[in-house]
Structures are given as structure tokens and as C-alpha cells.
Amino acid sequence: MYNLVNWISAWAIPVVIVFIPLYAAYRKVPVYESFVEGAKEGFDTTIRIIPHLVGMMVAISVFRASGAMDLMIGWLKPICERLGVPGDIIPLAFLRPITGAGSLAFTTDLISEFGPDSMIGRIASTIQGSTDTTLYVITVYFGAIGIRKAGYALKVGLISDAVGFIASIAICSLVFA
């Protein structure tokens, strides 16, 4: 079974890369012209989302530089440790919905400090894989298409991030403890 999964993994992307242009040619779709048109639309989208990205990056910087994140972590760390949650992963709960690069850097630091096979390393890795950068996604994608009211999407995204965080801790505790 393991060999089959490895074989599929090795061939999946090359097969897709070859299949799409062949199928497009079969359907008489002008492949190159369609690609160029899509690339033009991509540049337009990039220009439209830059203000949203800059605004989000400024807000993240203010949140971290003001000490608000450290204050929140200071309040939550004793409570979480009483519940059996390693206090060292709490900043990841705040960083992950905001920034993918920041949360990956923090996860890398945790793995460097505690090791990849430690409970903290396993929980951090699982959180990294089971949650998303909700605020980034809403800012960029909703901004790209002009959606201004993202209330329900934001609530559902943050709730799913919280569920992913809690589930990661619970599953790692069950599997690796």
C-alpha cells in the first residue's frame, strides 16, 4: 500500500500537467491564448488586493508591537497549562489565523527547541496542518472580488480554527501520549 501511495504521489502532478493541455487541445481550446488571458487577469487581481494586504500587515504589526498578543498569552498560559495544554503552543493559536509565514516560523522555532518527536512539536505540526490563515484568506480573497461584509465568513473561519486547534491537541494527546 505504501509503495502504491508513493507511486501515485510521484506521478500525479506530471500526469495532470500533461493531461490538461492535451485535453484542451482535444476540445479545440486555444491553450496559450487562454493562459495569457488568465495571466492578465492575475495581474489585475494582484493590483486590486495590494491595499487589503498592506492594511492587514499593518494591523498584524500593531497587534504584535503593542504587546496585546503577549498580554493575551500571559492571561491564557496558566489556564491552558492547568487543562493539560502546553503553554508554549498558545502563541500559535493567535498567529495561525493571521499569518501563514509567521505561524510557520513559530512552528519551526518550537520544533527546533523541543524536537519534531516531542509532544509540543507534534501538536504544533498538527495545528499548522489542520488550521488556516483565516484573516489572510478573507482579506485577500474577499478583497479581490470586492466583498466588504465578511461577518459570517470570519466567524465561521475563526470557529473552525479554534476547533482545529482543540482537535489537534486532543488527537495528539490520544495518539502520542
Side-chain angles (χ1 to χ4, degrees):
M1 184 66 169
Y2 180 76
N3 290 334
L4 176 64
V5 170
N6 277 340
W7 184 84
I8 291 170
S9 296
W11 284 98
I13 292 176
V15 167
V16 168
I17 289 173
V18 170
F19 174 76
I20 290 173
L22 289 176
Y23 183 72
Y26 170 76
R27 300 279 314 248
K28 308 269 192 269
V29 174
V31 177
Y32 183 74
E33 291 80 5
S34 297
F35 172 78
V36 170
E37 186 63 34
K40 286 180 187 175
E41 290 176 19
F43 281 120
D44 293 340
T45 301
T46 301
I47 290 169
R48 279 197 317 266
I49 66 171
I50 286 175
H52 301 283
L53 262 156
V54 170
M56 185 191 65
M57 295 300 178
V58 168
I60 291 168
S61 297
V62 168
F63 179 67
R64 294 182 75 189
S66 70
M69 188 169 95
D70 293 333
L71 183 65
M72 291 173 70
I73 291 166
W75 288 340
L76 290 174
K77 196 169 185 174
I79 297 167
C80 290
E81 286 180 346
R82 281 190 182 155
L83 297 172
V85 176
D88 294 306
I89 64 161
I90 295 170
L92 192 56
F94 291 104
L95 286 173
R96 185 66 181 143
I98 298 171
T99 170
S103 64
L104 182 59
F106 187 77
T107 299
T108 302
D109 288 344
L110 287 176
I111 291 171
S112 295
E113 184 177 342
F114 296 100
D117 293 330
S118 67
M119 184 59 81
I120 290 174
R122 289 175 172 165
I123 291 172
S125 298
T126 306
I127 290 169
Q128 190 71 16
S130 62
T131 58
D132 203 355
T133 54
T134 302
L135 298 176
Y136 176 83
V137 168
I138 288 175
T139 300
V140 171
Y141 297 128
F142 282 29
I145 58 175
I147 295 175
R148 299 281 180 236
K149 296 182 180 180
Y152 289 118
L154 179 62
K155 290 173 191 169
V156 169
L158 291 176
I159 289 170
S160 62
D161 284 336
V163 169
F165 185 78
I166 293 166
S168 296
I169 294 166
I171 290 169
C172 286
S173 296
L174 288 172
V175 172
F176 299 115

